[in-house]
Amino acid sequence: MSQQKRPLTLRDVSEVSGVSEMTVSRVLRNRGDVSAATREKVLNATKTLGYVPNKIAGALASQRVNLVAVIIPSLSNMVFPEVMTGISDALDDTPLQPVVGVTNYLPEREEKVLYEMLSWRPSGVIIAGLEQSETSRAMLINSGIPVVQIMDIDGEPIDAMVGISHRRAGRKMAEAILKSGYQNIGFMGTQMPLDHRARKRFEGFTQALGKQGVEIMDQEFYTGGSALAKGREMTAAMMERSPELDFMYYSNDMIGAGGLLHLREQGINVPGQMGLAGFNKVELIDGLPQKLATMDSCRFEIGQMAAKIIAARNDPSLEPMTNVIELSPKIAYGDTLRRK
C-alpha cells in the first residue's frame, strides 16, 4: 500500500536552495530586493522539486488569484475553441491563466459554475452572452472584479462587453439574399429560448425581410444530436413540405453543411435552384465540395479583446481598454449565394 506524500512547502525549497524561507517567498512572489544569483538558486530548486506555490494561501492577503474564469455554454460547439484560443493568446505574456466552466446553455448550471469559480476569487470573469439570470447577475455585479460579457453587444453590459450585433448580422444576411434575387426563404436553427444570439439573428433577419414585403416561408428548429445529420434531416423535411423554396438560411454552418450535402445528393443545383447560407465561418466548411456562404462571427478577436480588457484592469502599466467593443462580421459569399 503506497504511502500518501505530504505536499511540498517553502521549507523544502529553502533547504534545497540554501536560503531562508522568507527569501524563497520573496522570489516566488517577485517581491523584494533579491540578487539574480539567489533568485536563480530558488527557481532551480522549485524546478528540481516540482514545487507549486499555494496561490490560495497567497490570495488571503491580495484577495485575488491569477486565474480568469471563462464561462462558456459548450465545448462541443465549434465556435468556442477559437474564442479560447484568442483568450489564451492575449494572456500569454501576463501572469493570468484562463480556467473554463461549461454551462450547457442552462441558466441554473451557469449559476452553479459561476458560484464555484467566484469562490476562488479570480482576477476577472469572461462569460458568454448578456442574458444571465438575476442570481448570476447579482453575483457578477457584487464580485468586485472585472467582468466581460462576450459574443453579443445587443444589450446593456454588467461591466464590459465584446462581440458583434447579432441583429445587425441577421439584417445584413437578409439584405444580401434579397439582393441576389431569392424570395422564397426558409430558416433552420437551434431552439431559440436557450440560444439568445441565434434568436437575435433571426429577429434581425425577419425584420429586414419584412421591410421588403417578404415573409419566412418555412422554418424548423432542433435540439441535441449531430448538427450535420440534423441539417440533412431538416433540409429534406423542409423541401418536402415547401418545394417552392429557393433559399435556406441556417443558424450555424454545421446544419448548413448538412443541408448542402443533402441537396447535392438530390442533384439540386446550388446556388441556381437553391441558395444556402450559414453563420460562424468555421473551418469545417472549407472542406465541403462547395463553399457555404456564411458570416464570420469574429471569434478569435472577441476572445483576444476580452482577455486584454481583463489584463489591463489588473495591470495599470498596460494601456486601458474601452468597456464596449463591437466587431463587424463580413459576409463570405462562397459558392452557395449568387451575387448580382
Side-chain angles (χ1 to χ4, degrees), residues 73 104-108 190-197 199 223:
N104 297 327
Y105 292 95
L106 299 173
E108 61 274 17
T190 53
Q191 291 286 358
M192 298 299 183
L194 295 177
D195 192 341
H196 298 286
R197 292 175 291 284
R199 173 181 54 80
T223 53

Side-chain angles (χ1 to χ4, degrees), residues 242-264:
S242 308
E244 63 272 39
L245 285 169
D246 64 6
F247 200 93
M248 295 192 187
Y249 179 41
Y250 301 86
S251 70
N252 64 62
D253 289 338
M254 289 299 288
I255 51 174
L260 174 61
L261 294 174
H262 171 76
L263 292 171
R264 285 178 62 88

Side-chain angles (χ1 to χ4, degrees), residues 83-93 300 304 307-308:
V83 174
M84 291 305 307
T85 303
I87 291 170
S88 180
D89 178 82
L91 296 181
D92 263 355
D93 296 326
F300 178 86
Q304 191 178 52
K308 284 184 176 181

Side-chain angles (χ1 to χ4, degrees), residues 108-150:
E108 61 274 17
R109 181 166 171 79
E110 184 172 77
E111 290 173 10
K112 185 178 178 183
V113 170
L114 190 55
Y115 179 87
E116 291 299 329
M117 286 194 154
L118 288 176
S119 72
W120 289 82
R121 300 297 185 267
S123 293
V125 175
I126 297 173
I127 187 166
L130 300 173
E131 286 80 13
Q132 283 75 39
S133 70
E134 285 187 22
T135 300
S136 290
R137 287 182 66 83
M139 284 190 282
L140 290 167
I141 290 166
N142 296 312
S143 66
I145 60 176
V147 174
V148 185
Q149 292 159 287
I150 60 169

Side-chain angles (χ1 to χ4, degrees), residues 254-304:
M254 289 299 288
I255 51 174
L260 174 61
L261 294 174
H262 171 76
L263 292 171
R264 285 178 62 88
E265 285 170 2
Q266 299 302 308
I268 295 171
N269 181 277
V270 178
Q273 291 173 260
M274 178 72 69
L276 305 175
F279 182 80
N280 275 322
K281 204 171 186 289
V282 297
E283 283 186 17
L284 173 134
I285 63 173
D286 293 337
L288 293 172
Q290 287 177 271
K291 281 194 177 179
L292 183 69
T294 186
M295 185 177 274
D296 182 5
S297 55
C298 308
R299 300 176 301 284
F300 178 86
E301 293 86 352
I302 286 171
Q304 191 178 52

